[in-house]
Amino acid sequence: METTNRGAVVVGLLLIASGAVFLLVNLLPGLDLGRMWPGIFFAIAVALLVPPWILPAHRHALAGFVIPGVILLVLGLILTYQVITDDWDSWAYAWALIPASVGAGLWIAARLGYWGPGASTVGLWLLGGSLVGFVVFAAFLGRDSPLGRGAPAALIVLGVLITGTALIRRPTEQ
């Protein structure tokens, strides 16, 4: 496959997937798009995440698709949670998972694209920092939310892990 055709292939696959979803909705009138719309994020995420794994010869060139794919996957998960639980107030802290998804995508893409340890390290730091921010915001803002009620316990566990690791780890000689 030529380099110039890859974009057309991705767009074509997205159109096929979108058409299949709408065809199913038309054929099965019991499907409620009002509750299924986050699935669009999953479909696009799959279209972006699958090519790097099924085309190993082009993995290096396609690794950049992983970052937007992971972002859309996490957005789909957040929105699915909100649609199912009707906990739309959770957006006050759930947004912190978006930078976490960028970090996760960068870490995975760096591994697939052989981008070097710098990109991988930045991805892990962004992922970790954003997850900590998510838990802190959830503990502070999410008192009435199922996610928010578990956040204080998550902060305690995280603090114990970090403190324990710091106390157990021996300092390295310089």
Side-chain angles (χ1 to χ4, degrees):
M1 187 178 342
E2 292 182 22
T3 305
T4 56
N5 290 338
R6 281 192 203 135
V9 169
V10 170
V11 170
L13 290 173
L14 289 174
L15 290 173
I16 291 168
S18 300
V21 167
F22 290 119
L23 181 63
L24 279 174
V25 169
N26 288 333
L27 293 176
L28 303 170
L31 292 178
D32 181 13
L33 270 184
R35 295 186 58 81
M36 293 178 50
W37 62 269
I40 295 168
F41 288 90
F42 292 119
I44 298 171
V46 166
L48 291 170
L49 291 171
V50 168
W53 275 278
I54 64 171
L55 300 170
H58 302 287
R59 186 169 285 159
H60 182 73
L62 296 172
F65 285 160
V66 172
I67 299 169
V70 173
I71 293 168
L72 290 171
L73 180 67
V74 169
L75 277 172
L77 290 170
I78 293 168
L79 294 170
T80 299
Y81 165 79
Q82 291 176 331
V83 164
I84 291 171
T85 63
D86 204 32
D87 182 18
W88 297 99
D89 291 340
S90 65
W91 189 253
Y93 52 88
W95 64 266
L97 293 174
I98 296 170
S101 68
V102 173
L106 180 58
W107 180 75
I108 294 167
R111 305 291 232 159
L112 283 175
Y114 315 109
W115 294 349
S120 184
T121 303
V122 168
L124 284 176
W125 275 104
L126 183 56
L127 173 63
S130 298
L131 287 176
V132 169
F134 168 74
V135 173
V136 168
F137 289 134
F140 184 69
L141 299 170
R143 290 185 205 149
D144 299 330
S145 166
L147 288 176
R149 285 192 289 271
L155 280 175
I156 293 168
V157 169
L158 184 63
V160 167
L161 287 172
I162 291 173
T163 304
T165 304
L167 292 174
I168 293 172
R169 192 177 291 170
R170 294 181 190 192
T172 56
E173 293 183 26
Q174 295 180 353

